[in-house]
Every structure is written in structure tokens, then in C-alpha cells.
Amino acid sequence: MNILDAIHCRRAVRDFKPDKVPAALLRQMIAAASWAPSAMNEQPWHFTVVTDANLMGEIATQAKALVLKGVAAMPRSGHFLDVLGDPHFNIFYNAPALLVISAEAQGQWHVEDCAMAAENAMLAALDLGLGSCWIGFAQAWLNSEDGLKALGLPPNYRAVAPLVIGYPKAEMPPVARKKPEINWIGDGLVTGRTPGQIVPGVDGTLTHP
Ligand SMILES: Cc1cc2nc3c(=O)[nH]c(=O)nc-3n(C[C@H](O)[C@H](O)[C@H](O)COP(=O)(O)O)c2cc1C
């Protein structure tokens, strides 16, 4: 698959077949993740794979309860309450596997490094016929003492990217993108804007010089 096609076609998948994900494919995703760029090539990432349905269920329950506790203070709390208030809502969408990318919480860029690795892993999943979704709802609990213990991680680690993985039940519909706002300083953009002005959006046909 061409890289630009993969970038355009990857979708957050939230409905999975019950089929297990072969370990070899999870390893391929992890290998792709480990080819991500990282600050000073530190490669600080650590990968935790959870395929134990009981543990995934326990994490989902605990994480959901923790998010619900603080939901009132969140932006878009009404939307979150609607979703999380449903007792049948599983934050992991009953996926058969969870891949958590974490790092020792030190240095300046471990979060960015892990996020780069996560995007690689999600693009690799697409190429392998798998679906994935980053589950931000799981992060707060996974970073609690109990959460890190459940992942077998030491207390000085930070769980950055929890990704659920499985075979998608159906093809996901396209998800709209905002037009990119570009503050283009220098040659290359045909527009009457003045320097420093935010351009309200361009279509994808404009190419970089
Ligand atoms: C940091 C982060 C946290 C996210 N958390 C959740 C989540 O908790 N639950 C969920 O269903 N999707 C979550 N997503 C997926 C986004 O909702 C999704 O990427 C976005 O709607 C765009 O859709 P697309 O990935 O299909 O293009 C998260 C994505 C990111 C990057």
C-alpha cells in the first residue's frame, strides 16, 4: 500500500470481529512502531500486549469509572456523559487485543516519541488487514498505580498510547477533515495574504514548492 493511501485510509476502528489477532501480526505492528523517529534516537518506547480478555475487561471497567468520576469538569462533558453513561459501553469496543506504548517518564520527548510509534503501529495495522483505535479514555487509569501494575510496568513509566486492535467488522466510513490552516512564510503559496496572516484553508491541490 502506498504511504499516502495508507494515511488517507486509516480510520479509528470501533467495531471488531471476535477473532484473535495472531501474535505474528502484533509483532509486525511493534516492529513498524519501533522504526518511528525519536528524539536523539533514544527509542524510549516499551510495548505491552494484552490479549487476556478478563484483564482487558477489568481495565476497561476501571478506566471508564475513573473517566466518569471527572467527566463533569471536561470540555464536551455532555457528549462524554452520553457515551460513557451507557452501562453497556465498553471503552475498548470489545477488541481482542490492546497494545500499550509506554516509556520511562523522563527526558523531554518521551510522549512525542511514543505518539510517533503509535501512528506507525496504526498504519502497519491497516496494511496487515487489522483495525486500531487509540483509546484516550484508558490513559488516566493506566497511569494510576493500579493501572501500571496491571500492565506490569514500573511506577516511573508513563502509558502514552493505548491502542485497541482487531479485525474490523466493516469498512469504516470516511471521517471529515478540517481544511488545514497554514501560516506560510516565504515563496510558494499563491494568495494575497500579508505576511503572518493565518490562511483560512487551502484545498489539497496546492503543493509545496
Ligand atoms: C490521543 C487520542 C485519543 C483518542 N481517544 C479515543 C477514545 O478514547 N475513544 C475513541 O473511540 N476514539 C479515540 N480516539 C480516536 C479519535 O476519535 C479519531 O482518531 C478521530 O475521531 C478521527 O477519526 P479517524 O482516526 O478515523 O480519522 C483518540 C485519538 C487520539 C489521537
Side-chain angles (χ1 to χ4, degrees), residues 35-145:
W35 278 97
S38 62
M40 295 178 295
N41 199 22
E42 286 277 344
Q43 306 175 45
W45 35 66
H46 176 94
F47 303 95
T48 305
V49 178
V50 184
T51 54
D52 178 324
N54 289 333
L55 180 58
M56 280 188 71
E58 178 63 17
I59 296 173
T61 303
Q62 299 284 354
K64 180 179 168 181
L66 185 59
V67 176
L68 269 170
K69 255 192 199 170
V71 79
M74 287 177 178
R76 301 187 64 204
S77 59
H79 167 72
F80 286 142
L81 260 178
D82 282 350
V83 177
L84 295 163
D86 175 354
H88 301 297
F89 176 72
N90 177 327
I91 65 159
F92 290 156
Y93 304 104
N94 303 304
L98 172 70
L99 171 64
V100 182
I101 306 179
S102 62
E104 211 175 325
Q106 65 165 20
Q108 221 174 318
W109 292 294
H110 62 278
V111 172
E112 288 85 346
D113 294 339
C114 288
M116 300 291 290
E119 175 70 341
N120 266 19
M122 292 191 286
L123 290 172
L126 175 71
D127 197 48
L128 296 167
L130 297 166
S132 64
C133 185
W134 182 317
I135 305 297
F137 279 150
Q139 282 173 239
W141 188 78
L142 286 176
N143 283 295
S144 69
E145 200 183 327

Side-chain angles (χ1 to χ4, degrees), residues 129-202:
L130 297 166
S132 64
C133 185
W134 182 317
I135 305 297
F137 279 150
Q139 282 173 239
W141 188 78
L142 286 176
N143 283 295
S144 69
E145 200 183 327
D146 288 344
L148 290 168
K149 249 189 222 158
L151 296 176
L153 294 172
N156 60 335
Y157 268 59
R158 168 139 185 227
V160 175
L163 309 178
V164 287
I165 298 150
Y167 290 99
K169 251 194 193 157
E171 201 169 302
M172 303 304 290
V175 175
R177 286 299 189 265
K178 296 177 185 171
K179 283 190 174 179
E181 283 201 346
I182 304 177
N183 193 11
W184 197 303
I185 298 165
D187 292 341
L189 188 64
V190 184
T191 167
R193 75 181 182 82
T194 51
Q197 180 191 347
I198 301 286
V199 178
V202 294

